[in-house]
Coordinates of all heavy atoms in Angstrom, one line a residue:
M1 N 0.8 -1.2 0.0 CA 0.0 0.0 0.0 C 0.9 1.2 0.0 O 1.9 1.3 0.7 CB -0.9 0.0 1.2 CG -1.6 1.3 1.4 SD -2.9 1.5 2.7 CE -2.3 0.7 4.1
K2 N 0.5 2.2 -0.8 CA 1.3 3.5 -0.9 C 0.6 4.5 0.0 O -0.6 4.7 -0.1 CB 1.3 4.0 -2.3 CG 2.0 5.3 -2.5 CD 2.0 5.8 -3.9 CE 2.7 7.2 -3.9 NZ 2.5 7.9 -5.1
I3 N 1.4 5.1 0.8 CA 0.9 6.2 1.7 C 1.1 7.5 0.9 O 2.2 7.8 0.5 CB 1.6 6.2 3.0 CG1 1.4 4.9 3.8 CG2 1.2 7.5 3.8 CD1 2.1 4.8 5.1
V4 N 0.0 8.3 0.8 CA 0.0 9.5 0.0 C -0.1 10.7 1.0 O -1.0 10.7 1.8 CB -1.2 9.5 -1.0 CG1 -1.2 10.8 -1.8 CG2 -1.2 8.3 -1.9
S5 N 0.8 11.6 0.8 CA 0.8 12.8 1.7 C -0.3 13.7 1.2 O -0.7 13.7 0.0 CB 2.2 13.4 1.8 OG 2.4 14.1 0.5
A6 N -0.7 14.6 2.0 CA -1.7 15.6 1.6 C -1.3 16.5 0.5 O -2.1 16.8 -0.4 CB -2.0 16.5 2.8
S7 N 0.0 16.8 0.4 CA 0.5 17.6 -0.7 C 0.5 16.9 -2.1 O 0.4 17.5 -3.1 CB 2.0 18.1 -0.5 OG 2.8 16.9 -0.4
E8 N 0.4 15.5 -2.0 CA 0.4 14.7 -3.3 C -1.1 14.5 -3.7 O -1.3 14.1 -4.9 CB 1.0 13.4 -3.1 CG 2.5 13.4 -2.8 CD 3.0 12.0 -2.6 OE1 3.1 11.2 -3.5 OE2 3.4 11.7 -1.4
F9 N -2.0 14.6 -2.8 CA -3.4 14.3 -3.1 C -4.0 15.3 -4.0 O -4.0 16.5 -3.7 CB -4.2 14.1 -1.8 CG -5.6 13.6 -1.9 CD1 -5.8 12.3 -2.3 CD2 -6.6 14.4 -1.8 CE1 -7.0 11.8 -2.4 CE2 -7.9 13.9 -2.0 CZ -8.1 12.6 -2.3
Q10 N -4.7 14.8 -5.0 CA -5.3 15.7 -6.0 C -6.8 15.4 -6.0 O -7.2 14.2 -6.1 CB -4.8 15.5 -7.4 CG -3.3 15.9 -7.5 CD -3.1 17.4 -7.3 OE1 -3.9 18.2 -7.8 NE2 -2.0 17.8 -6.7
I11 N -7.7 16.4 -5.8 CA -9.1 16.2 -5.9 C -9.5 16.2 -7.4 O -9.2 17.2 -8.1 CB -9.9 17.2 -5.1 CG1 -9.5 17.2 -3.7 CG2 -11.4 17.1 -5.3 CD1 -10.1 18.3 -2.8
P12 N -10.2 15.2 -7.9 CA -10.6 15.3 -9.3 C -11.5 16.4 -9.6 O -12.3 16.9 -8.7 CB -11.3 13.9 -9.5 CG -10.9 13.1 -8.4 CD -10.5 14.0 -7.3
A13 N -11.4 17.0 -10.8 CA -12.2 18.1 -11.2 C -13.7 17.9 -10.9 O -14.4 18.8 -10.5 CB -12.0 18.5 -12.6
R14 N -14.2 16.7 -11.2 CA -15.6 16.4 -11.0 C -16.0 16.5 -9.5 O -17.1 17.0 -9.2 CB -15.9 14.9 -11.5 CG -17.3 14.5 -11.3 CD -18.2 15.1 -12.3 NE -19.6 14.6 -12.1 CZ -20.6 15.3 -12.1 NH1 -20.6 16.6 -12.2 NH2 -21.8 14.8 -11.9
S15 N -15.1 16.1 -8.6 CA -15.4 16.3 -7.2 C -15.6 17.8 -6.8 O -16.4 18.2 -6.0 CB -14.3 15.6 -6.3 OG -14.4 14.3 -6.5
E16 N -14.7 18.6 -7.4 CA -14.8 20.0 -7.1 C -16.1 20.6 -7.7 O -16.7 21.5 -7.0 CB -13.6 20.7 -7.8 CG -12.3 20.4 -7.1 CD -11.1 21.0 -7.8 OE1 -11.2 21.6 -8.9 OE2 -9.9 20.8 -7.3
Q17 N -16.5 20.1 -8.8 CA -17.8 20.6 -9.4 C -19.0 20.2 -8.4 O -19.9 21.0 -8.2 CB -18.0 20.0 -10.8 CG -17.1 20.6 -11.8 CD -17.3 19.8 -13.1 OE1 -17.8 18.8 -13.2 NE2 -16.7 20.5 -14.2
I18 N -18.9 19.0 -8.0 CA -20.0 18.5 -7.1 C -20.0 19.3 -5.8 O -21.0 19.8 -5.3 CB -19.9 17.0 -6.8 CG1 -20.1 16.2 -8.1 CG2 -20.8 16.6 -5.7 CD1 -19.8 14.7 -8.0
A19 N -18.8 19.5 -5.2 CA -18.7 20.3 -4.0 C -19.2 21.7 -4.2 O -19.9 22.3 -3.4 CB -17.2 20.3 -3.5
G20 N -18.8 22.3 -5.4 CA -19.3 23.7 -5.7 C -20.8 23.7 -5.8 O -21.4 24.7 -5.4
S21 N -21.4 22.7 -6.4 CA -22.8 22.6 -6.6 C -23.5 22.5 -5.2 O -24.5 23.2 -5.0 CB -23.2 21.4 -7.5 OG -24.6 21.3 -7.5
A22 N -22.9 21.7 -4.4 CA -23.5 21.5 -3.0 C -23.4 22.8 -2.2 O -24.4 23.2 -1.6 CB -22.8 20.4 -2.3
L23 N -22.3 23.5 -2.4 CA -22.1 24.8 -1.7 C -23.2 25.8 -2.2 O -23.8 26.5 -1.4 CB -20.7 25.3 -1.9 CG -20.5 26.7 -1.2 CD1 -20.6 26.6 0.3 CD2 -19.0 27.1 -1.6
A24 N -23.4 25.8 -3.5 CA -24.4 26.7 -4.0 C -25.8 26.4 -3.5 O -26.6 27.3 -3.2 CB -24.4 26.7 -5.6
D25 N -26.1 25.1 -3.4 CA -27.4 24.7 -2.8 C -27.5 25.1 -1.3 O -28.6 25.6 -0.9 CB -27.6 23.1 -2.9 CG -27.8 22.6 -4.3 OD1 -28.1 23.4 -5.2 OD2 -27.5 21.4 -4.5
V26 N -26.5 24.9 -0.6 CA -26.5 25.3 0.8 C -26.7 26.8 1.0 O -27.5 27.3 1.8 CB -25.2 24.8 1.6 CG1 -25.1 25.5 2.9 CG2 -25.2 23.3 1.7
Q27 N -26.0 27.6 0.1 CA -26.1 29.0 0.2 C -27.5 29.5 -0.2 O -28.0 30.4 0.5 CB -25.1 29.7 -0.8 CG -23.7 29.6 -0.3 CD -22.6 30.0 -1.3 OE1 -22.8 29.9 -2.5 NE2 -21.5 30.5 -0.8
R28 N -28.1 28.8 -1.1 CA -29.5 29.1 -1.5 C -30.5 28.8 -0.4 O -31.4 29.6 -0.1 CB -29.9 28.4 -2.8 CG -31.3 28.6 -3.3 CD -31.6 27.9 -4.6 NE -31.1 26.5 -4.7 CZ -31.6 25.5 -4.1 NH1 -32.7 25.6 -3.4 NH2 -31.1 24.3 -4.2
I29 N -30.3 27.7 0.3 CA -31.1 27.3 1.4 C -31.0 28.3 2.6 O -32.0 28.8 3.2 CB -30.9 25.9 1.9 CG1 -31.4 24.9 0.8 CG2 -31.5 25.6 3.2 CD1 -30.9 23.5 1.0
V30 N -29.7 28.7 2.9 CA -29.5 29.6 4.0 C -30.1 31.0 3.7 O -30.7 31.6 4.6 CB -28.0 29.7 4.3 CG1 -27.7 30.9 5.2 CG2 -27.4 28.4 4.9
A31 N -30.0 31.4 2.5 CA -30.6 32.7 2.1 C -32.1 32.6 2.2 O -32.7 33.6 2.7 CB -30.2 33.0 0.6
A32 N -32.7 31.5 1.8 CA -34.2 31.4 1.9 C -34.6 31.4 3.4 O -35.6 32.1 3.8 CB -34.6 30.1 1.3
V33 N -33.8 30.8 4.3 CA -34.2 30.8 5.7 C -34.0 32.2 6.3 O -34.8 32.6 7.1 CB -33.3 29.7 6.5 CG1 -33.5 29.8 8.0 CG2 -33.7 28.3 6.0
K34 N -33.0 32.9 5.9 CA -32.8 34.2 6.4 C -34.0 35.1 5.9 O -34.4 36.0 6.7 CB -31.5 34.8 5.8 CG -30.3 34.3 6.5 CD -29.0 35.0 6.0 CE -27.8 34.5 6.7 NZ -26.6 35.1 6.1
E35 N -34.4 34.9 4.7 CA -35.5 35.8 4.2 C -36.9 35.4 4.7 O -37.7 36.2 5.1 CB -35.5 35.7 2.6 CG -36.6 36.6 2.0 CD -36.5 36.5 0.5 OE1 -35.5 36.1 -0.1 OE2 -37.6 36.7 -0.1
L36 N -37.1 34.1 4.7 CA -38.5 33.6 5.0 C -38.7 33.0 6.4 O -39.8 32.7 6.8 CB -38.9 32.5 3.9 CG -38.9 33.0 2.5 CD1 -39.1 31.8 1.6 CD2 -39.9 34.1 2.3
G37 N -37.5 32.8 7.1 CA -37.6 32.3 8.4 C -38.2 30.9 8.5 O -37.9 30.0 7.7
D38 N -39.0 30.6 9.5 CA -39.6 29.3 9.7 C -40.3 28.8 8.5 O -40.3 27.6 8.3 CB -40.5 29.3 10.9 CG -39.8 29.5 12.3 OD1 -38.6 29.4 12.3 OD2 -40.5 29.6 13.3
Q39 N -40.9 29.6 7.7 CA -41.7 29.1 6.6 C -40.8 28.4 5.6 O -41.2 27.4 5.0 CB -42.4 30.3 5.9 CG -43.3 29.8 4.7 CD -44.4 28.8 5.2 OE1 -45.1 29.1 6.1 NE2 -44.5 27.7 4.6
A40 N -39.5 28.9 5.5 CA -38.6 28.2 4.6 C -38.3 26.8 5.2 O -38.2 25.8 4.4 CB -37.3 29.0 4.5
L41 N -38.2 26.7 6.5 CA -37.9 25.4 7.1 C -39.1 24.4 6.9 O -38.9 23.3 6.6 CB -37.6 25.5 8.6 CG -36.4 26.4 8.9 CD1 -36.3 26.6 10.4 CD2 -35.1 25.8 8.4
F42 N -40.3 25.0 7.0 CA -41.5 24.1 6.7 C -41.5 23.7 5.3 O -41.8 22.5 5.0 CB -42.8 24.9 7.0 CG -43.0 25.3 8.4 CD1 -43.4 26.5 8.8 CD2 -42.7 24.4 9.5 CE1 -43.7 26.9 10.1 CE2 -42.9 24.7 10.8 CZ -43.4 25.9 11.1
D43 N -41.2 24.6 4.3 CA -41.2 24.3 2.9 C -40.1 23.2 2.6 O -40.4 22.3 1.8 CB -40.9 25.5 2.1 CG -42.1 26.5 2.2 OD1 -43.2 26.2 2.7 OD2 -41.8 27.7 1.8
Y44 N -38.9 23.4 3.1 CA -37.8 22.4 2.8 C -38.1 21.1 3.5 O -37.8 20.0 2.9 CB -36.5 23.0 3.3 CG -35.9 24.0 2.3 CD1 -35.6 25.3 2.7 CD2 -35.7 23.6 1.0 CE1 -35.1 26.2 1.8 CE2 -35.2 24.6 0.1 CZ -34.9 25.8 0.5 OH -34.4 26.8 -0.4
T45 N -38.7 21.1 4.6 CA -39.1 19.8 5.3 C -40.1 19.1 4.4 O -40.0 17.9 4.2 CB -39.6 20.0 6.7 OG1 -38.6 20.7 7.5 CG2 -40.0 18.7 7.4
A46 N -41.1 19.8 3.9 CA -42.1 19.2 3.0 C -41.4 18.6 1.7 O -41.7 17.5 1.3 CB -43.2 20.2 2.7
Q47 N -40.5 19.4 1.2 CA -39.8 19.1 -0.1 C -38.9 17.8 0.1 O -39.0 16.9 -0.7 CB -39.0 20.2 -0.6 CG -38.2 19.9 -1.9 CD -37.4 21.1 -2.3 OE1 -37.5 22.2 -1.9 NE2 -36.5 20.8 -3.2
F48 N -38.0 17.9 1.1 CA -37.0 16.8 1.3 C -37.5 15.6 2.1 O -37.0 14.5 1.9 CB -35.8 17.4 1.9 CG -35.1 18.4 1.1 CD1 -34.8 19.7 1.5 CD2 -34.7 18.2 -0.3 CE1 -34.1 20.7 0.8 CE2 -34.1 19.1 -1.1 CZ -33.8 20.4 -0.6
D49 N -38.3 15.9 3.1 CA -38.7 14.8 4.0 C -40.2 14.3 3.8 O -40.6 13.4 4.5 CB -38.6 15.2 5.5 CG -37.1 15.6 5.8 OD1 -36.2 15.0 5.3 OD2 -36.9 16.6 6.5
Q50 N -40.9 15.0 2.9 CA -42.3 14.7 2.7 C -43.1 14.7 4.0 O -44.0 13.8 4.2 CB -42.5 13.4 2.0 CG -42.0 13.4 0.5 CD -40.5 13.3 0.4 OE1 -39.9 12.5 0.9 NE2 -40.0 14.2 -0.4
V51 N -42.8 15.7 4.9 CA -43.6 15.8 6.1 C -44.1 17.3 6.2 O -43.3 18.2 5.9 CB -42.6 15.6 7.3 CG1 -43.3 15.8 8.6 CG2 -42.1 14.1 7.3
E52 N -45.3 17.4 6.6 CA -45.9 18.8 6.7 C -45.8 19.1 8.2 O -46.5 18.5 9.0 CB -47.3 18.8 6.2 CG -47.5 18.5 4.7 CD -46.9 19.6 3.9 OE1 -46.9 20.8 4.3 OE2 -46.5 19.4 2.7
L53 N -45.1 20.1 8.6 CA -45.0 20.6 10.0 C -45.8 21.8 10.2 O -46.0 22.6 9.3 CB -43.5 20.9 10.3 CG -42.5 19.8 10.3 CD1 -41.1 20.3 10.6 CD2 -42.9 18.7 11.2
S54 N -46.3 21.9 11.4 CA -47.0 23.2 11.8 C -46.3 23.9 12.9 O -46.6 25.0 13.2 CB -48.4 22.8 12.2 OG -48.4 22.0 13.3
D55 N -45.3 23.3 13.5 CA -44.5 23.9 14.6 C -43.1 23.2 14.6 O -43.0 22.1 14.2 CB -45.2 23.6 15.9 CG -44.7 24.4 17.0 OD1 -43.8 25.2 16.9 OD2 -45.3 24.3 18.1
L56 N -42.1 24.0 15.0 CA -40.8 23.5 15.0 C -40.4 23.0 16.4 O -39.3 22.4 16.6 CB -39.8 24.6 14.5 CG -39.9 25.0 13.1 CD1 -39.0 26.2 12.8 CD2 -39.7 23.8 12.2
R57 N -41.2 23.3 17.4 CA -40.9 22.9 18.8 C -41.2 21.4 18.9 O -42.1 20.9 18.4 CB -41.7 23.7 19.8 CG -41.2 25.1 20.0 CD -42.1 25.9 20.8 NE -43.1 26.4 19.8 CZ -44.1 27.2 20.1 NH1 -44.2 27.7 21.3 NH2 -44.9 27.7 19.2
V58 N -40.3 20.8 19.7 CA -40.4 19.3 20.0 C -41.2 19.2 21.3 O -40.9 19.8 22.3 CB -39.1 18.6 20.1 CG1 -39.2 17.2 20.5 CG2 -38.2 18.8 18.9
P59 N -42.3 18.5 21.2 CA -43.1 18.3 22.5 C -42.3 17.7 23.6 O -41.5 16.8 23.4 CB -44.3 17.4 22.0 CG -44.3 17.5 20.5 CD -42.9 17.8 20.1
A60 N -42.5 18.2 24.8 CA -41.7 17.8 26.0 C -41.8 16.3 26.1 O -40.7 15.7 26.5 CB -42.3 18.4 27.2
E61 N -42.9 15.6 25.9 CA -42.9 14.1 26.1 C -42.0 13.4 25.1 O -41.6 12.3 25.4 CB -44.4 13.6 25.9 CG -45.0 13.9 24.6 CD -45.8 15.2 24.5 OE1 -45.7 16.0 25.4 OE2 -46.5 15.3 23.5
H62 N -41.7 14.0 24.0 CA -40.7 13.3 23.1 C -39.3 13.3 23.6 O -38.5 12.4 23.3 CB -40.7 14.1 21.7 CG -42.0 13.8 21.0 ND1 -42.1 14.1 19.6 CD2 -43.2 13.4 21.3 CE1 -43.3 13.8 19.2 NE2 -44.0 13.4 20.2
Y63 N -38.9 14.3 24.5 CA -37.6 14.3 25.1 C -37.5 13.1 26.0 O -36.5 12.4 26.0 CB -37.4 15.5 25.9 CG -37.1 16.8 25.1 CD1 -38.2 17.7 24.9 CD2 -35.9 17.0 24.4 CE1 -37.9 18.9 24.1 CE2 -35.7 18.1 23.7 CZ -36.7 19.0 23.5 OH -36.5 20.2 22.8
A64 N -38.5 12.8 26.8 CA -38.4 11.6 27.7 C -38.3 10.3 26.9 O -37.5 9.5 27.3 CB -39.7 11.6 28.6
E65 N -39.0 10.2 25.8 CA -39.0 9.0 25.0 C -37.6 8.9 24.4 O -37.0 7.8 24.3 CB -40.0 9.1 23.9 CG -41.4 9.0 24.4 CD -42.4 9.3 23.3 OE1 -42.1 9.2 22.1 OE2 -43.6 9.5 23.6
A66 N -37.0 10.0 23.9 CA -35.7 10.0 23.3 C -34.6 9.5 24.3 O -33.7 8.8 24.0 CB -35.4 11.3 22.7
Y67 N -34.7 10.1 25.5 CA -33.7 9.7 26.6 C -33.7 8.2 26.9 O -32.7 7.6 27.1 CB -33.9 10.5 27.8 CG -33.3 11.9 27.9 CD1 -34.0 13.0 27.6 CD2 -31.9 12.0 28.1 CE1 -33.4 14.3 27.6 CE2 -31.3 13.2 28.1 CZ -32.0 14.4 27.9 OH -31.4 15.6 27.9
E68 N -34.9 7.6 26.8 CA -35.0 6.2 27.1 C -34.4 5.3 26.0 O -34.0 4.2 26.2 CB -36.5 5.8 27.2 CG -37.1 6.4 28.5 CD -38.6 6.1 28.5 OE1 -39.1 5.4 27.7 OE2 -39.2 6.7 29.4
Q69 N -34.2 5.9 24.8 CA -33.7 5.1 23.6 C -32.2 5.2 23.4 O -31.6 4.6 22.5 CB -34.4 5.6 22.4 CG -35.9 5.3 22.4 CD -36.6 5.8 21.2 OE1 -36.0 6.0 20.1 NE2 -37.9 6.0 21.3
V70 N -31.5 6.1 24.2 CA -30.0 6.2 24.0 C -29.3 5.9 25.3 O -29.9 5.9 26.4 CB -29.7 7.6 23.6 CG1 -30.3 7.9 22.2 CG2 -30.1 8.7 24.6
S71 N -28.0 5.6 25.2 CA -27.2 5.3 26.3 C -26.8 6.5 27.2 O -26.9 7.6 26.7 CB -25.9 4.6 25.8 OG -25.1 5.5 25.2
E72 N -26.4 6.2 28.4 CA -25.9 7.3 29.3 C -24.7 7.9 28.7 O -24.5 9.1 28.8 CB -25.6 6.7 30.7 CG -26.8 6.3 31.5 CD -27.7 7.5 31.9 OE1 -27.1 8.6 32.1 OE2 -28.9 7.4 31.9
E73 N -23.8 7.1 28.0 CA -22.6 7.7 27.4 C -23.0 8.7 26.3 O -22.3 9.7 26.2 CB -21.8 6.6 26.8 CG -21.2 5.6 27.8 CD -22.1 4.5 28.3 OE1 -23.2 4.3 27.7 OE2 -21.8 3.9 29.3
F74 N -24.0 8.4 25.6 CA -24.5 9.3 24.5 C -25.0 10.6 25.1 O -24.6 11.7 24.7 CB -25.6 8.7 23.6 CG -26.1 9.6 22.6 CD1 -25.4 9.8 21.4 CD2 -27.3 10.3 22.8 CE1 -25.9 10.6 20.4 CE2 -27.7 11.2 21.8 CZ -27.0 11.3 20.6
I75 N -25.8 10.5 26.2 CA -26.3 11.7 26.8 C -25.2 12.5 27.4 O -25.2 13.8 27.3 CB -27.4 11.3 27.9 CG1 -28.6 10.6 27.3 CG2 -27.7 12.5 28.8 CD1 -29.5 10.0 28.2
S76 N -24.2 11.9 28.0 CA -23.1 12.6 28.6 C -22.3 13.3 27.5 O -21.9 14.5 27.6 CB -22.2 11.6 29.3 OG -21.0 12.2 29.8
A77 N -22.0 12.6 26.4 CA -21.3 13.2 25.3 C -22.1 14.4 24.7 O -21.5 15.5 24.4 CB -21.0 12.2 24.2
L78 N -23.4 14.3 24.5 CA -24.2 15.3 24.0 C -24.2 16.5 24.9 O -24.1 17.7 24.5 CB -25.6 14.8 23.8 CG -26.6 15.8 23.1 CD1 -26.1 16.2 21.7 CD2 -28.0 15.1 23.0
S79 N -24.3 16.3 26.2 CA -24.3 17.4 27.2 C -23.0 18.1 27.2 O -22.9 19.3 27.2 CB -24.5 16.8 28.6 OG -25.8 16.3 28.7
E80 N -21.9 17.4 27.1 CA -20.6 18.0 27.0 C -20.4 18.8 25.7 O -19.8 19.9 25.8 CB -19.5 16.9 27.0 CG -18.1 17.5 27.2 CD -17.0 16.4 27.3 OE1 -17.3 15.4 28.0 OE2 -15.9 16.6 26.8
A81 N -21.0 18.3 24.6 CA -20.8 19.1 23.4 C -21.6 20.4 23.4 O -21.3 21.3 22.7 CB -21.3 18.2 22.2
M82 N -22.7 20.4 24.2 CA -23.5 21.6 24.2 C -22.8 22.6 25.2 O -22.9 23.7 25.1 CB -24.9 21.3 24.7 CG -25.6 20.4 23.7 SD -27.1 19.7 24.3 CE -28.2 21.0 24.2

C-alpha cells in the first residue's frame, strides 16, 4: 500500500464541481431561511422529508422518549458538546 501525503493528493475536477454545486445549494437554502424564516424550514421539510410541519418545537414528552432510547454515554457526550 502506498501512503499518499496531503501535498500529493489531488481532488478530481468532478469532485470540485460537485462540492461547488452543493455549496451553491446550501447558500440558496441559508438565504431562503434568512429571508423567509420558519416558513422556509417548513417548505424544505415538506420538499425533502415529505412531512408537513405546523410547529418547530419538539413536544416535551418526546424528550423523555428519546432519553429512554439512548445510552448514558451518549447523553453525557451530548451534554458535553453543548
Side-chain angles (χ1 to χ4, degrees):
M1 169 171 44
K2 178 183 177 190
I3 298 175
V4 179
S5 72
S7 62
E8 297 177 71
F9 187 72
Q10 297 293 321
I11 298 174
R14 178 74 176 135
S15 294
E16 290 174 359
Q17 290 173 344
I18 292 170
S21 174
L23 179 60
D25 290 341
V26 169
Q27 288 172 329
R28 182 176 38 80
I29 291 169
V30 168
V33 172
K34 283 181 180 178
E35 180 181 336
L36 303 172
D38 289 353
Q39 186 58 52
L41 299 175
F42 294 138
D43 294 345
Y44 283 119
T45 300
Q47 179 183 347
F48 296 126
D49 302 321
Q50 290 76 51
V51 175
E52 297 291 332
L53 296 177
S54 59
D55 194 355
L56 295 174
R57 284 172 275 188
V58 176
E61 61 269 12
H62 289 198
Y63 287 104
E65 293 171 15
Y67 274 103
E68 292 173 9
Q69 296 178 22
V70 296
S71 70
E72 288 294 325
E73 293 82 11
F74 178 82
I75 294 169
S76 176
L78 186 59
S79 295
E80 187 175 326
M82 296 169 74

